[in-house]
Amino acid sequence: MTGPEATPSFRLAYVPGVTPAKWVRIWNERLPDIPLHLVQVPALGAQELLRAGDADAAFLRLPVEGTDLSAIPLYTETTVVVVPKDHLIAAADELSVAELADEIVLHPMDDALPWEQLPGRPAMERPATTGDAVELVAAGIGVLVVPQSLARLHHRKDLTYRTLTDAPESRVALSWPQEKTTDQVEDFIGIVRGRTVNSSRGRAGAAPAAQPKAKAKDKAKRASGTGAGKGSRGGAGGSGGSKAAKGARGAAAKRGKPRRRP
């Protein structure tokens, strides 16, 4: 057979801020014959990629729209505000959303947070991306509220970030098309959920090898004490102990026999 079907592979998409390296490493260890291809997508592009069939699964941010995509929530991120290092906010360890009331808070088009009401004062224009918003923060135009992973992703020496204690949080999930829950998808779900290679629900792991019947019988004999061989400690000890005792009694008898005087 030739073509793509001859060499199966697994296509995993991920949005900015998600680091799939740990799961990819485990996949490569367990399924070395099935290449895993990473596909980096914009924050708002993962769901469309899955529906188009251009990825088998994806790490994305909730919520997932519609019922055609399945999703397993994995973790929730801390929300932070990104500011210049010399900003007054940088003097605090953490703060609340209300403390941003007088700040221009940038709201990029790919914002990853589920706001019910935007904090602070709006900027004149919305940046196209989070990366563009970070550049504006560095230029002193405003501040930016993002998941902590995105603040780290767009790290700059002249910027810092502080935790917002009451801001909406971003939840990261593994998602895939519900009607395309393939064996490989099941394998990756098992890896993400931390199943071991021999887990009953993990296809990638081979079942533990059955113990040969002969060895099982030998083990049973040893447990009952009937199968001790010549080299076993119990058999050798018993036989050796008996001979040693006879030898000792013989030696004692010889030593105790009186000598006949000439």
Side-chain angles (χ1 to χ4, degrees):
M1 183 182 294
T2 60
E5 295 181 357
T7 306
S9 62
F10 187 71
R11 298 162 300 170
L12 177 65
Y14 65 102
V15 298
V18 177
T19 305
K22 175 181 69 174
W23 298 298
V24 172
R25 175 181 55 79
I26 297 174
W27 174 280
N28 291 333
E29 292 174 352
R30 295 186 185 180
L31 298 116
D33 296 331
I34 303 179
L36 188 152
H37 302 295
L38 289 174
V39 183
Q40 187 171 10
V41 294
L44 302 179
Q47 296 184 41
E48 288 73 11
L49 196 74
L50 291 174
R51 292 188 172 99
D54 294 329
D56 300 298
F59 289 115
L60 46 69
R61 298 182 188 278
L62 296 176
V64 170
E65 299 175 358
T67 59
D68 57 327
L69 297 181
S70 298
I72 300 175
L74 300 178
Y75 58 90
T76 301
E77 288 197 71
T78 299
T79 302
V80 300
V81 54
V82 181
V83 299
K85 280 191 173 181
D86 57 357
H87 197 285
L88 290 176
I89 288 177
D93 293 329
E94 58 184 29
L95 60 157
S96 66
V97 172
E99 294 178 78
L100 302 178
D102 296 331
E103 302 291 338
I104 294 177
V105 179
L106 301 167
H107 185 213
M109 300 295 290
D110 61 355
D111 188 5
L113 297 172
W115 293 104
E116 293 184 2
Q117 182 176 355
L118 295 174
R121 297 183 293 144
M124 294 182 62
E125 295 182 2
R126 293 184 64 182
T129 66
T130 297
D132 294 335
V134 170
E135 296 293 331
L136 293 175
V137 174
I141 304 300
V143 301
L144 174 65
V145 179
V146 291
Q148 186 173 2
S149 66
L150 291 179
R152 291 174 174 172
L153 178 65
H154 297 285
H155 171 72
R156 289 174 53 120
K157 293 182 179 180
D158 54 345
L159 300 180
T160 188
Y161 59 84
R162 295 293 182 267
T163 300
L164 285 176
T165 58
D166 56 352
E169 296 175 320
S170 173
R171 293 190 298 159
V172 174
L174 175 68
S175 182
W176 67 94
Q178 186 172 358
E179 295 184 356
K180 296 181 180 179
T181 308
T182 64
D183 289 340
Q184 293 173 8
V185 169
E186 289 285 3
D187 288 337
F188 196 76
I189 292 172
I191 289 172
V192 169
R193 283 185 162 173
R195 296 175 192 154
T196 63
V197 68
N198 291 326
S199 170
S200 60
R201 296 186 64 184
R203 283 194 335 104
Q211 189 178 30
K213 293 182 178 180
K215 291 185 178 180
K217 290 181 179 179
D218 290 343
K219 186 175 181 180
K221 289 180 179 180
R222 288 195 298 269
S224 62
T226 60
K230 294 180 179 180
S232 65
R233 181 174 299 178
S239 176
S242 177
K243 290 181 179 179
K246 291 179 179 179
R249 288 195 296 269
K254 289 182 180 180
R255 288 196 299 269
K257 187 178 180 178
R259 294 183 179 182
R260 183 179 297 176
R261 293 182 178 181

